[in-house]
C-alpha cells in the first residue's frame, strides 16, 4: 500500500500477482493427447491450413528431437485477430507426413534446430502410355 503525497490518509491498492491454475487440472497430459485418435474433421482442417497459400507452414525439429508444426495466421479484418504464428497438432501432422499427404522442403539448419517448409504433396496425374496423335489430313484434288 502506498500513501499519496498530498493526502497522507488516502492509500492506494497496488495490483497483485495473479495466481495461475494448476496445469494438471486444466489440460490433459501429453500421453493422453497422444493416445487420442485424430478425428477426420481435425485432419481435414490441418490439411486445409497447409494447402492455403496465404498461410506458410513450417516444421521445426529441435536438437532434442521434438517437432513443432506452425503456420502464419494472417490478420482477420473482421475481428482484428491474427498476425502471429499458431501451432498445429503434431500427431496429426506426423500422420499426414507418414501417409504421404504432406512433404517437407529444403532444410534451414541452425545450431539448435532445423526448419522445413511444409507443403501438400502433389498428386501425379496418370499420363497415357502413348500420346494421342491427330490423324493426318490429306487434301484430295
Amino acid at each position: 500500500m502506498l500513501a499519496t503525497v498530498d493526502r497522507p490518509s488516502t492509500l492506494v491498492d497496488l495490483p497483485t500477482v495473479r495466481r495461475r491454475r494448476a496445469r494438471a487440472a486444466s489440460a490433459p497430459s501429453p500421453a493422453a493427447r497422444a493416445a487420442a485418435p485424430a478425428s477426420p474433421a481435425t485432419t481435414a482442417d490441418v490439411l486445409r491450413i497447409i494447402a492455403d497459400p496465404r498461410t506458410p507452414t513450417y516444421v521445426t525439429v529441435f536438437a532434442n528431437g521434438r517437432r513443432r508444426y506452425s503456420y502464419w495466421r494472417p490478420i482477420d479484418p473482421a475481428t482484428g485477430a491474427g498476425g502471429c504464428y499458431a501451432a498445429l497438432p503434431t500427431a496429426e501432422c506426423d500422420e499426414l507426413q507418414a501417409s504421404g499427404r504432406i512433404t517437407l522442403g529444403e532444410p534451414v539448419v541452425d545450431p539448435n534446430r532445423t526448419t522445413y517448409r511444409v507443403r501438400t504433396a502433389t498428386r501425379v496425374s496418370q499420363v497415357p502410355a502413348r500420346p494421342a496423335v491427330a490423324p493426318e489430313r490429306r487434301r484430295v484434288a
Side-chain angles (χ1 to χ4, degrees), residues 16-28:
T16 59
V17 177
R18 293 183 186 183
R19 302 205 182 221
R20 294 184 180 183
R21 292 187 336 202
R23 262 195 172 185
S26 63

Side-chain angles (χ1 to χ4, degrees), residues 7 13 15 18 25 27 34-35 51 77 85 122 138:
R7 294 185 198 160
D13 253 348
R18 293 183 186 183
Y85 280 98
T122 56
R138 295 186 180 180

Side-chain angles (χ1 to χ4, degrees), residues 1 7 9-10 38 61 63 70 80 85 101-102 134:
M1 301 267 217
R7 294 185 198 160
S9 62
T10 306
V61 182
S70 59
Y85 280 98
R101 298 188 70 186
I102 61 175

Side-chain angles (χ1 to χ4, degrees), residues 127-135:
V127 178
R130 277 185 15 194
V133 178

Side-chain angles (χ1 to χ4, degrees), residues 15-59:
T16 59
V17 177
R18 293 183 186 183
R19 302 205 182 221
R20 294 184 180 183
R21 292 187 336 202
R23 262 195 172 185
S26 63
S29 68
R33 280 183 280 171
S39 68
T42 309
T43 304
D45 286 340
V46 169
L47 199 56
R48 179 186 52 80
I49 290 170
I50 293 172
D52 188 0
R54 296 176 304 143
T55 58
T57 308
Y58 301 94
V59 61

Side-chain angles (χ1 to χ4, degrees), residues 60-66 109-115:
T60 303
V61 182
F62 293 92
N64 63 2
R66 185 176 69 105
V109 180
D110 198 337
N112 296 322
R113 62 182 166 242
T114 304
T115 304

